[in-house]
């Protein structure tokens, strides 16, 4: 069932939307006076009769055409885009407003513009944001696995965990994170994808290493190690490598601490997309990972590159090897690229030449 509560004054109508299926749609028209109260207690402007909701949980106030939300010292909190609020917060179009575990999407519309037709791409984006609630609540993702091979033998050494979804507008990882970024929920999405990937990866044949991803925002927020601890408990003795994007590698001491904490969990560390940003070799020396994944921009058509470019890449590979780090070539698409990378000293590689991302059933005998 879809519930809506419309707040209107001046020339703007604000709407709180709960539900995404459109079935048995219920509209609750709300009119001044303000504040507009939300709670379990009879007499609230919007009564939510759930145990997690406090008697007087929160309130909305309209100042001009701006809607504000305040928490009223509720037990389980009020959240805007996944963050618990301690002071009043202005609400924007498509914000995710949550009272304890009751989530609503915020909508606003000018009365003068109600008959205007939205552009198709805007409609698609709005639908994707609505779908994002379903994606997170029901964990509607399918983990995909791309093989990582041993360059000497061609054997599968592990798999990088990726994800897909069948929800409209959220089919790819990039689309999921685009929607998450609009709601400030990148970290929550990253943790959910990682958990589902590890859980599904336990069905792979053998004891293959699982390469799991992080979002750059996770490095400086609490909870990453706890999340990886939960993944380790779930996976037991399955080898795990945590990939950190190059953009997040700015403080060697931070990486040293992260590697130490991961080591206690028997989890390895990889730096992803090396060569795409600003990671310096000095940082590799001070905080060496277990794997260094060379960005596809360095690998693409390396067989056709100038001798100078090939020599430069080969020199980087040798430096990485001398540091005791496993150099991994990303984005290998042809046999010629694979052969050049092998001759340069790359120990591992991944790319379409070795296998495209696929669900776990495609790797089960």
């Amino acid at each position: 069932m879809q519930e809506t509560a419309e707040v209107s004054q001046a020339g703007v109508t604000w709407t709180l939307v709960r539900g995404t299926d459109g079935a048995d749609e219920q509209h609750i028209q709300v009119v001044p006076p303000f504040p507009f109260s939300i709670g379990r207690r009879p007499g609230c402007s919007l009564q939510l009769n759930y145990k997690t909701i406090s008697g007087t949980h929160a309130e909305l106030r309209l100042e001009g055409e701006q809607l504000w939300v305040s928490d009223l010292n509720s037990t389980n909190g009020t959240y805007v885009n996944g963050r618990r609020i301690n002071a009043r917060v202005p609400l924007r179009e498509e914000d995710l407003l949550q009272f304890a575990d009751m989530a609503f999407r915020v909508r606003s519309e000018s009365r003068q513009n109600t008959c205007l037709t939205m552009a198709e791409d805007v409609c698609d984006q709005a639908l994707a944001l609505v779908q994002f609630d379903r994606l997170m609540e029901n964990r509607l993702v399918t983990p995909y696995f791309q093989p990582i091979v041993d360059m000497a033998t061609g054997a599968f050494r592990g798999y990088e965990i990726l994800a897909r979804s069948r929800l409209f507008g959220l089919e790819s990882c990039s689309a999921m994170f685009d929607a998450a970024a609009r709601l400030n929920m990148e970290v929550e999405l990253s943790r959910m994808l990682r958990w589902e990937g590890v859980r599904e990866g336990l069905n792979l044949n053998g004891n293959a290493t699982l390469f799991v991803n992080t979002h750059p925002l996770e490095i400086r927020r609490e909870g990453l190690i706890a999340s990886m601890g939960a993944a380790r408990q779930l996976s037991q003795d399955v080898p795990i490598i945590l990939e950190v994007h190059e953009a997040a590698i700015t403080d060697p001491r931070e990486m040293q601490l992260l590697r130490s904490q991961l080591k206690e969990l028997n989890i390895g560390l990889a730096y992803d997309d090396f060569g795409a940003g600003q990671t310096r070799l000095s940082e590799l020396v001070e905080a060496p990972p277990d794997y260094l994944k060379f960005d596809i921009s360095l690998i693409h058509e390396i067989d056709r590159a100038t001798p100078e470019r090939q020599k430069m890449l080969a020199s980087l590979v040798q430096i990485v090897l001398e540091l005791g780090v496993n150099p991994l070539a990303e984005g290998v698409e042809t046999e010629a690229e694979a052969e050049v990378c092998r001759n340069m000293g790359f120990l591992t590689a991944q790319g379409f030449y070795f296998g495209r991302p696929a669900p776990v059933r495609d790797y089960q005998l």
Side-chain angles (χ1 to χ4, degrees):
M1 180 178 70
Q2 179 166 311
E3 302 173 0
T4 68
E6 295 183 354
V7 184
S8 59
Q9 186 167 300
V12 175
T13 297
W14 288 88
T15 306
L16 307 182
V17 180
R18 177 171 173 79
T20 59
D21 57 12
D24 299 325
E25 184 174 283
Q26 179 182 1
H27 293 263
I28 303 172
Q29 184 73 39
V30 179
V31 296
F34 291 96
F36 176 69
S37 58
I38 299 97
R40 193 173 72 247
R41 183 174 300 166
C44 285
S45 304
L46 177 59
Q47 185 180 5
L48 300 174
N49 193 21
Y50 298 89
K51 292 181 180 179
T52 54
I53 303 296
S54 296
T56 51
H57 195 104
E59 66 178 20
L60 300 172
R61 290 180 181 270
L62 194 60
E63 297 181 4
E65 295 186 350
Q66 177 61 61
L67 189 65
W68 297 76
V69 61
S70 301
D71 184 75
L72 300 178
N73 297 316
S74 65
T75 300
N76 295 310
T78 300
Y79 302 78
V80 176
N81 298 328
R83 296 181 177 179
R84 188 166 184 166
I85 65 173
N86 298 310
R88 75 171 193 159
V89 172
L91 294 172
R92 300 183 299 272
E93 177 81 8
E94 295 298 343
D95 276 349
L96 184 66
L97 178 59
Q98 189 172 338
F99 308 108
D101 55 358
M102 299 291 293
F104 296 82
R105 182 68 63 194
V106 177
R107 302 278 172 79
S108 67
E109 186 177 64
S110 172
R111 291 186 196 174
Q112 292 86 347
N113 295 329
T114 54
C115 294
L116 295 179
T117 301
M118 297 176 66
E120 183 176 352
D121 59 338
V122 175
C123 289
D124 289 349
Q125 291 177 14
L127 179 56
L129 290 171
V130 172
Q131 295 278 56
F132 188 80
D133 290 340
R134 291 184 59 202
L135 179 88
M136 295 297 293
E137 183 175 356
N138 299 311
R139 308 174 87 85
L140 299 177
V141 296
T142 301
Y144 271 51
F145 300 85
Q146 185 170 31
I148 293 172
V149 304
D150 186 303
M151 290 294 276
T153 66
F156 286 6
R157 175 172 286 193
Y159 300 86
E160 179 178 357
I161 298 175
L162 305 169
R164 301 287 186 270
S165 170
R166 293 184 179 180
L167 293 180
F168 177 83
L170 300 175
E171 292 87 351
S172 67
C173 270
S174 60
M176 294 182 216
F177 277 102
D178 284 346
R182 293 171 178 265
L183 304 171
N184 295 321
M185 292 187 67
E186 300 100 314
V187 170
E188 291 80 359
L189 174 61
S190 180
R191 291 175 182 172
M192 187 270 281
L193 294 180
R194 195 161 53 236
W195 174 269
E196 291 300 312
V198 170
R199 183 179 62 81
E200 186 73 0
L202 299 180
N203 296 315
L204 289 165
N205 294 314
N207 200 36
T209 300
L210 299 178
F211 287 70
V212 299
N213 287 286
T214 59
H215 189 278
L217 291 176
E218 291 188 85
I219 303 301
R220 290 170 183 82
R221 291 190 188 176
E222 294 183 1
L224 176 58
I225 295 302
S227 170
M228 293 309 301
R232 166 49 70 214
Q233 186 174 8
L234 172 68
S235 62
Q236 299 180 1
D237 59 349
V238 172
I240 296 177
I241 301 292
L242 179 70
E243 296 190 19
V244 175
H245 192 275
E246 187 188 43
I249 306 168
T250 57
D251 185 348
R253 292 172 297 180
E254 195 172 57
M255 290 299 104
Q256 289 171 354
L257 176 60
L258 176 61
R259 179 170 183 176
S260 175
Q261 292 172 322
L262 291 173
K263 188 175 181 180
E264 293 180 1
L265 297 172
N266 194 27
I267 294 174
L269 178 65
Y271 293 166
D272 193 17
D273 294 335
F274 175 73
Q278 301 297 321
T279 299
R280 300 168 298 180
L281 288 175
S282 60
E283 292 169 339
L284 296 178
V285 174
E286 295 178 50
D290 298 289
Y291 287 81
L292 185 66
K293 303 185 74 173
F294 283 68
D295 186 68
I296 188 174
S297 62
L298 297 176
I299 306 301
H300 182 61
E301 295 188 343
I302 190 61
D303 56 304
R304 301 181 184 180
T306 63
E308 291 77 15
R309 181 185 164 196
Q310 290 188 0
K311 183 177 180 180
M312 179 273 294
L313 183 56
S315 297
L316 288 175
V317 172
Q318 290 306 309
I319 292 173
V320 170
L321 287 168
E322 291 172 5
L323 292 173
V325 177
N326 187 316
L328 188 155
E330 285 193 297
V332 178
E333 297 182 348
T334 67
E335 182 179 359
E337 289 176 352
E339 184 63 24
V340 171
C341 288
R342 187 179 296 109
N343 292 337
M344 285 182 174
F346 279 99
L347 299 182
T348 45
Q350 70 181 106
F352 289 170
Y353 175 68
F354 303 108
R356 293 177 177 268
V360 70
R361 64 177 178 270
D362 288 11
Y363 295 107
Q364 292 175 324
L365 297 178

